[in-house]
Amino acid sequence: MSRRLLLLLAVTCGVAVGNIYFPQAIGPLIAAGLHVPPDEASYVVTATQVGYTLGLFLVVPLGDRLPHRRFLVTLLTLTGLGLLAAGCAPGLPFLVAASLAVGVSTVAAQVIAPLAAGLAADDGRGAVMGTLLSGSIGGMLLARTFSGTLGEWLGWRAPYLVASALVLSAAWVLARALPVTTPSSHGSYPALLTASLRLLRTEPELRRSCFYQATVFAGFSAVWTCVALLLTGPRYGLGASAVGMLALVGGVTMLCTPLAGRLVDREGPDRVNLVSLIGVLLSAAILAAGTAGGVAGLAALTLGTVLLDVAMQSGMVANQSRVFAVRPDARSRLNTAYMTCAYLGGSAGSWLGVRIHDRAGWGGVCVLVALLATLALARHLVVPPRSRLTERPSPGRPPAGGGRPPAGGG
């Protein structure tokens, strides 16, 4: 795969992924603009993540069945129209419904990942995944930053309208730049859906990766949903743009994920996972100091969110590399199972985080992150040794699972 194509795919991932995260920075603006309580406005974030989870399960498996160019252009066009509808929403119920629709369709990054994994060499797949994830992180950070700033200048609707224009532009570019690909499966749509569930049941390495990412992403989503409430609340009294600036500091993550990908290629996913889970646990302790307020509290929030972002995204690279090595002929279906579990965790984390914040404050959210990281770390430390022996491909040999007969149907 050429570097130019990889760069284009990474940028497209960023454009698509940004739609999931920018509502986190403008929740207070939505609440004020639509005259609803902040906890009700948080339903917009939850609806987007729930829709994304549905899209992962219902839409992404079609990446094994449909030509990628037509499929991706269609998805991006639907996302752009959904964002336009959200930006014109007359009230919260319509906005929540539009956010759900945007979430379902904005799964382009999860269609691109299996496509790129199939084009990459076995010993360079981790690096390719790291580059794509770096693009996704860039989109996530810029979306939070500019949505908060733009929302304060022009109102909460402006970020949705700008995002719509960006997504429709990306669809136009991909329609002209993507190569023609041949689908890897001719199974029916019901067979594709059941194959994802069957793979989850039969592949222990897939289940392990799903558990790691679901727990860590739940804590990640809880933090980023609630940090807006903390910064705009009485302890700090800052505007929505402060959330975006905090996210922008996390740009260092873009530099770390390609490095994590190279480490996965060299050392295997398990070691990267171990360091990532320890990093999440440490970030919870640092974030807890954010309750102090003032300069010291802001410093703790900055350092803690950066560490959390780096740890979560590096773990994502490790887990996705492990998952794509299980069944090269079913990467979209594997990615469906993996990312559905991850975003179910993220949706639950956003919902639970807001409620814990209402009852126990920011400290309670940090305890939640620590508990989730501890669960994942405990699972990691009891992995059977034979799993670790088979996860690193030897030079000249296919990755684990590459030569096995199909186990998931479809």
Side-chain angles (χ1 to χ4, degrees), residues 181-196:
T181 58
T182 302
S184 62
S185 172
H186 298 287
S188 65
Y189 179 63
L192 292 176
L193 294 184
T194 57
S196 297

Side-chain angles (χ1 to χ4, degrees), residues 10 15-16 61 95 105 117 125 163 182 185 271 290 306 311 318 324-325 341 354 383:
V15 170
L95 178 58
S105 62
R125 188 171 295 121
T182 302
S185 172
R271 293 186 180 181
V306 168
F324 286 147
C341 290
V354 171
V383 173

Side-chain angles (χ1 to χ4, degrees), residues 93-130:
F94 189 97
L95 178 58
V96 170
S99 298
L100 183 69
V102 168
V104 170
S105 62
T106 190
V107 292
Q110 305 313 323
V111 176
I112 288 172
L115 166 64
L119 297 175
D122 289 340
D123 60 354
R125 188 171 295 121
V128 169
M129 292 300 101

Side-chain angles (χ1 to χ4, degrees), residues 105-150:
S105 62
T106 190
V107 292
Q110 305 313 323
V111 176
I112 288 172
L115 166 64
L119 297 175
D122 289 340
D123 60 354
R125 188 171 295 121
V128 169
M129 292 300 101
T131 300
L132 293 179
L133 191 54
S134 182
S136 297
I137 293 167
M140 176 181 67
L141 296 176
L142 292 175
R144 285 179 181 150
T145 301
F146 289 108
S147 66
T149 302
L150 189 63

Side-chain angles (χ1 to χ4, degrees), residues 233-382:
R235 189 173 299 275
Y236 286 94
L238 300 174
S241 60
V243 182
M245 293 307 297
L246 181 64
L248 189 60
V249 175
V252 65
T253 315
M254 296 178 63
L255 305 177
C256 295
T257 49
L259 174 61
R262 290 192 291 272
L263 288 174
V264 169
D265 290 333
R266 187 169 67 246
E267 303 292 339
D270 265 355
R271 293 186 180 181
V272 176
N273 270 137
L274 178 60
V275 174
S276 298
L277 293 173
I278 293 173
V280 174
L281 193 58
L282 181 59
S283 74
I286 297 172
L287 286 167
T291 56
V295 175
L298 280 175
L301 291 176
T302 301
L303 178 59
T305 52
V306 168
L307 180 57
L308 178 63
D309 284 12
V310 170
M312 193 279 288
Q313 302 290 3
S314 296
M316 173 76 83
V317 174
N319 290 322
Q320 223 167 14
S321 296
R322 183 190 294 114
V323 166
F324 286 147
V326 170
R327 282 278 307 278
D329 64 310
R331 288 192 172 108
S332 286
R333 284 160 284 178
L334 287 164
N335 204 40
T336 290
Y338 170 69
M339 294 303 299
T340 298
C341 290
Y343 274 88
L344 280 173
S347 300
S350 294
W351 183 87
L352 188 59
V354 171
R355 277 138 194 86
I356 290 177
H357 185 272
D358 286 344
R359 291 165 175 77
W362 180 250
V365 175
C366 296
V367 170
L368 172 65
V369 176
L371 288 174
L372 291 168
T374 300
L375 286 174
L377 187 58
R379 172 65 182 86
H380 184 77
L381 294 176
V382 297

